[in-house]
Amino acid sequence: MIRLIVIAAAAGLTLTPIAVAQQTAPIQQLPTPQASAELQALDPAGFVKLAVASNDFEILSSELALRRSQDPQVRDFAQTMLDDHRRAQEQLQSAAEADSVALVLELSMEQKQTLTALEQAEESQFDSAYMSAQMKAHDEAIRLLGAYADNGPAGSLKTYAVANYPLVRTHKVRAQSLTNP
């Protein structure tokens, strides 16, 4: 009888990692967008410039979604993006200071155009446009963080990239689930 209990307990312990792996499989199976050679060769200042713009775009577009969206799921997603990217922006600022890199906030022309398009989108099209912008922004952020985590010099900024990469991938999975229910 004790032998049967020990065998059952051992079987349960060996199955636990399988259950955990199944719960995280969507993130692991998500294809990683390939980083360009330009992203792979970023210096700390170049990384900070792109990362701060990425976070700011998420913050601004999500504030807009909270004002304009009528879908509770999209609003919930936008609130999560707002909270997570504000926190990430604070972490980035601390990492940049620790690595003696200036933090300059400037959205790219494409990000500015996307925000303008979201502001001007018809109410019936807003949620779709916002989620589409989120998918693209998170693909870009995954490429940026992944490239810097792999190729950036050791320091606080690399630590930031490594720490935030899984979060951004999780955001992408969630955006994908809202885009393709």
Side-chain angles (χ1 to χ4, degrees):
M1 181 69 145
I2 293 174
R3 186 178 200 188
L4 185 58
I5 293 170
V6 171
I7 292 171
L13 290 175
T14 58
L15 294 177
T16 301
I18 294 170
V20 171
Q22 289 175 343
Q23 291 172 352
T24 59
I27 294 172
Q28 293 169 344
Q29 293 173 355
L30 187 67
T32 301
Q34 188 63 36
S36 66
E38 182 180 317
L39 284 182
Q40 292 176 6
L42 274 179
D43 66 351
F47 170 73
V48 168
K49 179 181 178 183
L50 293 176
V52 75
S54 176
N55 282 324
D56 199 47
F57 175 80
E58 291 294 333
I59 291 166
L60 294 171
S61 64
S62 295
E63 287 173 340
L64 188 57
L66 288 173
R67 287 194 307 271
R68 297 211 47 213
S69 179
Q70 301 302 312
D71 184 326
Q73 288 183 315
V74 171
R75 291 178 57 80
D76 183 57
F77 177 82
Q79 186 63 58
T80 300
M81 295 307 100
L82 193 58
D83 295 342
D84 287 354
H85 286 280
R86 281 181 175 159
R87 188 171 27 260
Q89 197 75 312
E90 290 171 6
Q91 293 169 354
L92 179 60
Q93 183 173 0
S94 295
E97 287 174 9
D99 285 356
S100 301
V101 177
L103 197 77
V104 179
L105 175 57
E106 183 179 346
L107 295 177
S108 71
M109 184 57 67
E110 184 178 358
Q111 289 167 324
K112 291 175 187 176
Q113 290 171 343
T114 301
L115 284 173
T116 299
L118 288 172
E119 289 170 353
Q120 296 173 352
E122 292 184 30
E123 187 176 327
S124 64
Q125 300 298 312
F126 178 81
D127 289 341
S128 174
Y130 171 71
M131 293 311 299
S132 176
Q134 290 300 304
M135 293 290 290
K136 183 173 183 186
H138 283 91
D139 274 344
E140 292 170 0
I142 288 167
R143 280 192 292 274
L144 174 65
L145 293 170
Y148 203 78
D150 289 344
N151 304 306
S156 296
L157 290 168
K158 184 170 186 145
T159 301
Y160 167 87
V162 169
N164 282 280
Y165 181 81
L167 178 67
V168 174
R169 284 182 61 93
T170 301
H171 289 170
K172 170 75 186 288
V173 169
R174 188 165 170 210
Q176 205 165 30
S177 73
L178 290 172
T179 304
N180 302 318

